[in-house]
Amino acid sequence: MNAIVSAYRRYTDFAGRSNRRDFWLFLVFSMIAGIVLQQIDHHYNLMMMSGKVGVLAGVFGLLTIIPFLALKVRRLHDTGRSGWWILFQLVPLVGTITLLYFMAQQSQMGGNRYGVAPAA
């Protein structure tokens, strides 16, 4: 729970580092919450855009996109990479797979140019 609150609290912090656990917990939370909200939208007919996106799921997505981008950048920093690697995700399929590989890697031990290692 602390990882999720921390991601929203640090939504403007694109500097520093975030550990692997925080990233994956926030990703799983976001996916589950999005699916649940989409089901609620569908059940109560709160759909917009020709029935493709629900109101609650859409608002949740908008509230989550910036904190998730900041968390991705901090996670890249934790592996010793620049946050600009996030743009590689714009390359279809290859970019997404590469970034998932980067996110799954272990943290650099000790300090690196982006700061000290975050507490586990």
Side-chain angles (χ1 to χ4, degrees), residues 13-88:
D13 183 11
F14 286 81
R17 297 168 64 172
S18 288
N19 61 26
R20 185 169 38 176
R21 178 184 163 274
D22 290 350
F23 173 79
W24 290 107
L25 282 175
F26 190 74
L27 178 68
V28 169
F29 161 76
S30 297
M31 290 176 66
I32 291 172
I35 290 169
V36 168
L37 289 173
Q38 188 67 20
Q39 292 301 316
I40 292 170
D41 286 336
H42 185 70
H43 181 72
Y44 290 106
N45 199 23
L46 299 173
M47 305 304 281
M48 58 185 178
M49 293 177 52
S50 303
K52 294 182 181 179
V53 179
V55 173
L56 298 175
V59 169
F60 175 75
L62 290 174
L63 292 175
T64 303
I65 193 164
I66 300 297
F68 193 56
L69 285 173
L71 185 60
K72 279 183 182 179
V73 169
R74 291 192 309 268
R75 179 68 192 122
L76 285 167
H77 288 173
D78 194 41
T79 62
R81 292 179 178 81
S82 168
W84 289 105
W85 272 98
I86 202 166
L87 294 176
F88 196 60

